[in-house]
Amino acid sequence: MTKMRSNRLKIVFMVCLAIVTIGGQHFESKVAQLLQDETEHIKCFVERKDLTCFWEERNHLHHQYTFTYSYENKNKMACAVSSLLAGNKTIFFCKLPKTPFFTTLDVQVLRDGRMLYTRSLNAENFLFLDPPQNLTVMSSGKEGQLNVSWLPPPLKYMDDSMIYEVRYAAEGSNMGKVEVVKVSTMLVLLGLQSDTRYTVWARVKPDGVAYKGYWSAWTEPVFGVTPPSDVDPLIVLLVLFIGLILCLLSLTVILSHHKFLLKKLWPDIPTPEHKFPGLFTVYKGDFKEWMSQNNGSMWGRSAHVYTEELPSPLEVLSEVSLTSHGMSQREEEEEKESERSDSGLTDRWRDPPHAHWLMEQLRALQENPESRCQSSLLQSHDTYVTLNQGDNEQQVYDVFEETLPLQTLFTTAGTSSLSTSHSDLGSLQQSLGSGRLSSRSSFEYPNHTWPHKGPGYAYMAVADSGVSMDYSPMSSSRIAELGRHRMYTNDYKNEICPHKWPLSGQHIKSGSESCTGPVW
Amino acid sequence: FFIKTVFLWLGGNQVSPLRPICDLRVLDHFVPEARDSEVIMVRSLCCRGGCGVMKSYFVPLTSVDFAVLEHIDVSHDAVEVQTGLSLLDKALSNAMKTVRNSPLANALDNNISNIHSLGQILHSLDLQVVVGLHFTSPHDSAPASTQTQEVSSLPELLQVHSSFLRGKVRLLLSAAPACQRQNS
């Protein structure tokens, strides 16, 4: 029992001694790696300058193993065999003294005097080096750079035949990069993140020209920190200066074209406020009040406004033959006054005498909408200026074509009457409401019976001076009276259905065929 | 071809001293070409069976003992290398005659040209004063100039050729004093 225990202690001591004498700190890892990767029975590698060969066997400690080698036709030489326990297997190895390189080695393993394994190899092709020593990572002072350096393998005449791999990764990152370096023992890592901690590893292998071998194990990780980003103050100043210049240029352009830009970006919303002075400021939008306060003065003004801004699409040709017996004395007086005071029909801005009455009628209509369709007789005592070329039918056609100036009218035969009336149909439309205009000719009624169209139709007197046209409402009695004369009519049907316009003048009818009043 | 031209020009001009050629990349280019001959030989159907002609070749010894590489102050290593290159030149030339009209013949011809170039390089290094370099132990009985071996096949010849270039020739060039003075 005691003898067995001592034998075991001797074996363990021998194994430990073998490890210390044969291999360095990486010996076991190299053996383990070759046991996994190498397929030959006899696995060999050169760690520094000596070749080590090993093989594994099951626990056959009772066998006698012999290792021999020869080269260049020399006699075989023996190598002392050592063993190492590895679980349920035993590792037998031999380290050749004075290993010959650049020649073919013939190695053999004999078990109990019998050939077990054999192999021919060149030792310079099985270099298995230790990881590079003194791996150092230092900051170069430049942004995104690190200087990495290490020592070559301590093998003279071999350091110029080595190739290195440097692996680096940011701390905490699984993505790393590998750089390959030939012969040189330093490397500058570029393109790194600023102010970041990096981990660096390195390993070595023969370049394969004169020597071949396996990749060494990776070194222990070494850390390095990249310098923080250093912004050049000159660049900052330049950027600020250029930015300032761009701002000034933009401001200059904007100021020089501010009106144009304002129109494009913030167009003015049209408002009719300037056309209705005081409506929104004084009367707070109460149109009735505004109208009541501005009825007389605003009527003509609004008429003027309507004349300017709301052109009437209605084209009315008027031709009427009026006789003096149809006119009242008052009308004649007013006509004379108008003739004296008016410079033709162009002076349309004098408030016509019937305008006030008309506004009252309109107000009454607004206050009492139910009477909209009730017949009401609008009396007008105004006189009218009519286009009259006498009873001559030819003259009627001439006027119908709107070629006769007003002056000519006054000089023609027959009676004529002047009346001030509204300048255009549009203004009347504004006060009378919407309606449709149709035209008829008295020639359609050869018996001079003018058909009264009933309450749905209103008649207007139209005076055309060749310069402008005046429209004025006419009563049904007046219409009937005028019906006896040859005339052209434009039937104007408005929304105020049964109105009968009182007429003081004669009915002037036009023969336009296409009259459509503007709808307000 | 450019290197050969340079060497021929250098060899033709014996008046002016040659500038040392210390760049090992030249030799590192010759070594793969020597290995290519081995590969071509293996792939060639002609030579798998020995090409029908078995011939003995005297070739230099190629083994290098790093343990004793710098311990002996003997300057005959340069002579050993030059002698070995001469032996290889002869052996390869004889081998090329047996493999005419085959792809291996061109490869062997290239190897022979490379050996001539190496001779010019060694000449430029002025290796007569090489000291501190000895490839083998001085205890060997055979003198350095007669350290040869005999091989009996073309594959062995090519293997010796490759090993000699990678070993002794390269070590001599890397340790040449003329190149050490340039690096310092």
Side-chain angles (χ1 to χ4, degrees):
Chain A
M1 189 69 173
T2 306
K3 191 175 182 180
M4 287 177 65
R5 191 176 292 179
S6 64
N7 288 336
R8 287 182 181 177
L9 287 174
K10 286 180 182 178
I11 291 169
V12 170
F13 175 75
M14 291 296 292
V15 168
C16 293
L17 186 63
I19 293 171
V20 171
T21 55
I22 293 174
Q25 56 182 345
H26 303 282
F27 180 80
E28 289 183 356
S29 62
K30 293 175 184 176
V31 170
Q33 182 177 338
L34 289 179
L35 283 172
Q36 187 176 357
D37 299 337
E38 185 61 63
T39 57
E40 293 281 345
H41 291 288
I42 302 175
K43 308 174 200 311
C44 301
F45 63 93
V46 175
E47 203 171 10
R48 291 184 182 86
K49 294 181 180 179
D50 297 322
L51 179 68
T52 300
C53 293
F54 64 94
W55 66 98
E56 64 175 350
E57 297 289 337
R58 295 183 184 275
N59 289 333
H60 293 164
L61 294 177
H62 57 279
H63 290 292
Q64 186 71 30
Y65 290 94
T66 306
F67 185 90
T68 62
Y69 66 97
S70 63
Y71 63 97
E72 291 181 340
N73 297 326
K74 293 183 178 179
N75 297 330
K76 290 184 180 180
M77 290 168 280
C79 175
V81 177
S82 303
S83 62
L84 185 64
L85 291 174
N88 58 349
K89 294 184 179 180
T90 303
I91 306 298
F92 297 95
F93 54 90
C94 173
K95 184 178 178 182
L96 272 66
K98 298 190 301 183
T99 302
F101 289 83
F102 302 105
T103 186
T104 301
L105 279 173
D106 296 316
V107 295
Q108 293 177 348
V109 174
L110 292 88
R111 184 169 65 183
D112 298 329
R114 294 183 181 179
M115 184 72 68
L116 183 61
Y117 307 120
T118 182
R119 186 181 179 185
S120 295
L121 69 154
N122 282 41
E124 70 275 7
N125 295 334
F126 294 92
L127 267 63
F128 201 156
L129 305 172
D130 291 338
Q133 299 293 318
N134 276 27
L135 179 63
T136 307
V137 180
M138 295 180 64
S139 173
S140 64
K142 295 182 180 180
E143 183 179 353
Q145 291 186 9
L146 283 176
N147 289 341
V148 183
S149 62
W150 57 91
L151 292 178
L155 299 171
K156 198 173 180 180
Y157 308 114
M158 292 184 188
D159 51 359
D160 56 352
S161 300
M162 298 299 160
I163 184 172
Y164 305 92
E165 272 192 357
V166 176
R167 182 164 62 99
Y168 61 97
E171 192 177 31
S173 172
N174 296 327
M175 300 297 294
K177 292 185 179 180
V178 177
E179 295 287 343
V180 178
V181 182
K182 291 185 178 181
V183 182
S184 177
T185 58
M186 62 180 299
L187 174 68
V188 178
L189 300 177
L190 303 174
L192 305 179
Q193 299 176 10
S194 301
D195 198 17
T196 305
R197 185 180 168 92
Y198 279 86
T199 308
V200 182
W201 302 263
R203 63 178 183 177
V204 63
K205 191 184 89 167
D207 61 1
V209 178
Y211 304 94
K212 295 180 182 179
Y214 308 95
W215 277 112
S216 70
W218 290 104
T219 60
E220 291 296 320
V222 177
F223 303 96
V225 181
T226 51
S229 60
D230 185 20
V231 181
D232 193 354
L234 180 62
I235 294 175
V236 174
L237 285 174
L238 284 174
V239 170
L240 289 174
F241 183 69
I242 291 170
L244 185 64
I245 290 174
L246 289 174
C247 288
L248 288 174
L249 284 173
S250 303
L251 200 62
T252 305
V253 170
I254 291 171
L255 288 175
S256 62
H257 297 87
H258 73 281
K259 290 185 179 177
F260 174 75
L261 291 173
L262 280 174
K263 279 186 181 179
K264 289 295 180 183
L265 298 177
W266 296 284
D268 293 332
I269 300 174
T271 173
E273 188 174 348
H274 64 285
K275 300 297 182 183
F276 300 91
L279 173 62
F280 298 100
T281 56
V282 178
Y283 299 98
K284 309 300 179 186
D286 190 344
F287 189 75
K288 286 170 56 178
E289 281 296 319
W290 180 80
M291 284 296 291
S292 64
Q293 296 296 327
N294 298 281
N295 51 2
S297 60
M298 291 307 298
W299 177 249
R301 193 177 309 168
S302 61
H304 169 70
V305 170
Y306 301 142
T307 302
E308 288 182 342
E309 298 180 350
L310 304 173
S312 167
L314 175 66
E315 180 180 346
V316 177
L317 299 176
S318 60
E319 176 69 20
V320 67
S321 174
L322 301 175
T323 56
S324 62
H325 68 272
M327 295 175 60
S328 64
Q329 184 179 2
R330 180 173 175 274
E331 290 175 353
E332 289 177 351
E333 291 176 354
E334 290 179 358
E335 188 178 295
K336 290 176 183 176
E337 290 177 2
S338 308
E339 190 177 350
R340 285 194 296 273
S341 61
D342 292 346
S343 57
L345 289 175
T346 56
D347 186 7
R348 65 187 80 162
W349 308 131
R350 266 185 53 187
D351 297 334
H354 67 282
H356 180 71
W357 170 87
L358 186 61
M359 291 306 300
E360 288 181 354
Q361 293 301 320
L362 285 174
R363 195 175 303 112
L365 176 66
Q366 289 179 358
E367 291 173 356
N368 189 12
E370 293 77 16
S371 63
R372 182 183 176 103
C373 294
Q374 292 179 4
S375 173
S376 64
L377 185 65
L378 297 178
Q379 298 295 329
S380 174
H381 302 284
D382 294 336
T383 58
Y384 297 88
V385 174
T386 60
L387 295 173
N388 185 15
Q389 292 187 349
D391 297 332
N392 192 348
E393 183 176 322
Q394 183 62 36
Q395 293 177 342
V396 171
Y397 280 116
D398 291 341
V399 174
F400 178 70
E401 296 176 353
E402 293 183 337
T403 57
L404 189 64
L406 181 62
Q407 198 64 30
T408 307
L409 290 175
F410 291 152
T411 56
T412 53
T415 60
S416 63
S417 62
L418 288 175
S419 66
T420 57
S421 62
H422 305 293
S423 59
D424 59 355
L425 182 62
S427 62
L428 276 182
Q429 291 274 2
Q430 186 72 16
S431 58
L432 301 179
S434 62
R436 287 179 291 107
L437 183 69
S438 61
S439 63
R440 291 288 178 84
S441 169
S442 65
F443 290 99
E444 299 177 11
Y445 309 98
N447 294 326
H448 304 287
T449 55
W450 183 255
H452 186 215
K453 295 267 177 130
Y457 289 85
Y459 293 85
M460 293 193 304
V462 181
D464 184 9
S465 65
V467 178
S468 63
M469 297 176 67
D470 288 341
Y471 300 90
S472 58
M474 298 170 64
S475 66
S476 61
S477 60
R478 185 67 176 168
I479 294 169
E481 182 179 345
L482 292 176
R484 293 191 288 273
H485 300 276
R486 277 176 292 182
M487 65 188 70
Y488 299 99
T489 63
N490 276 333
D491 296 335
Y492 174 70
K493 181 177 183 179
N494 54 17
E495 294 298 328
I496 308 174
C497 304
H499 282 298
K500 296 180 182 178
W501 297 98
L503 299 173
S504 60
Q506 295 183 5
H507 178 62
I508 302 174
K509 313 242 180 211
S510 65
S512 172
E513 291 295 334
S514 59
C515 294
T516 56
V519 177
W520 298 100
Chain B
F1 175 76
F2 171 74
I3 295 172
K4 293 174 187 176
T5 305
V6 169
F7 288 150
L8 287 174
W9 178 81
L10 291 173
N13 188 1
Q14 300 291 336
V15 177
S16 58
L18 294 174
R19 196 169 185 179
I21 302 172
C22 297
D23 194 347
L24 291 177
R25 288 178 294 182
V26 177
L27 181 60
D28 290 342
H29 184 71
F30 295 159
V31 169
E33 291 183 348
R35 285 181 177 160
D36 292 340
S37 298
E38 292 184 78
V39 174
I40 295 171
M41 180 198 65
V42 171
R43 293 177 180 176
S44 173
L45 297 176
C46 173
C47 295
R48 282 183 180 176
C51 297
V53 176
M54 298 296 294
K55 195 172 181 180
S56 295
Y57 306 97
F58 288 96
V59 292
L61 297 175
T62 59
S63 62
V64 174
D65 188 356
F66 285 109
V68 298
L69 189 61
E70 299 176 30
H71 293 176
I72 306 300
D73 189 7
V74 179
S75 61
H76 68 290
D77 296 306
V79 177
E80 182 180 356
V81 168
Q82 288 174 337
T83 304
L85 289 175
S86 178
L87 287 172
L88 286 171
D89 184 8
K90 291 179 181 178
L92 290 173
S93 299
N94 292 332
M96 196 170 65
K97 297 176 183 177
T98 64
V99 292
R100 288 177 183 174
N101 303 322
S102 69
L104 186 57
N106 294 331
L108 293 178
D109 185 50
N110 191 30
N111 297 145
I112 292 169
S113 299
N114 295 341
I115 288 174
H116 294 166
S117 302
L118 285 172
Q120 295 291 333
I121 293 173
L122 290 174
H123 181 67
S124 70
L125 295 178
D126 195 14
L127 295 176
Q128 285 77 10
V129 294
V130 170
V131 293
L133 186 64
H134 188 60
F135 295 123
T136 56
S137 171
H139 299 290
D140 290 341
S141 57
S145 59
T146 60
Q147 290 184 353
T148 61
Q149 58 178 330
E150 186 178 357
V151 294
S152 59
S153 65
L154 186 55
E156 290 180 281
L157 170 61
L158 295 177
Q159 194 174 22
V160 168
H161 170 232
S162 176
S163 297
F164 191 75
L165 295 182
R166 291 186 292 118
K168 291 186 177 180
V169 175
R170 198 174 193 282
L171 288 169
L172 182 65
L173 294 178
S174 62
C179 298
Q180 298 297 327
R181 285 193 294 269
Q182 281 190 359
N183 294 334
S184 62

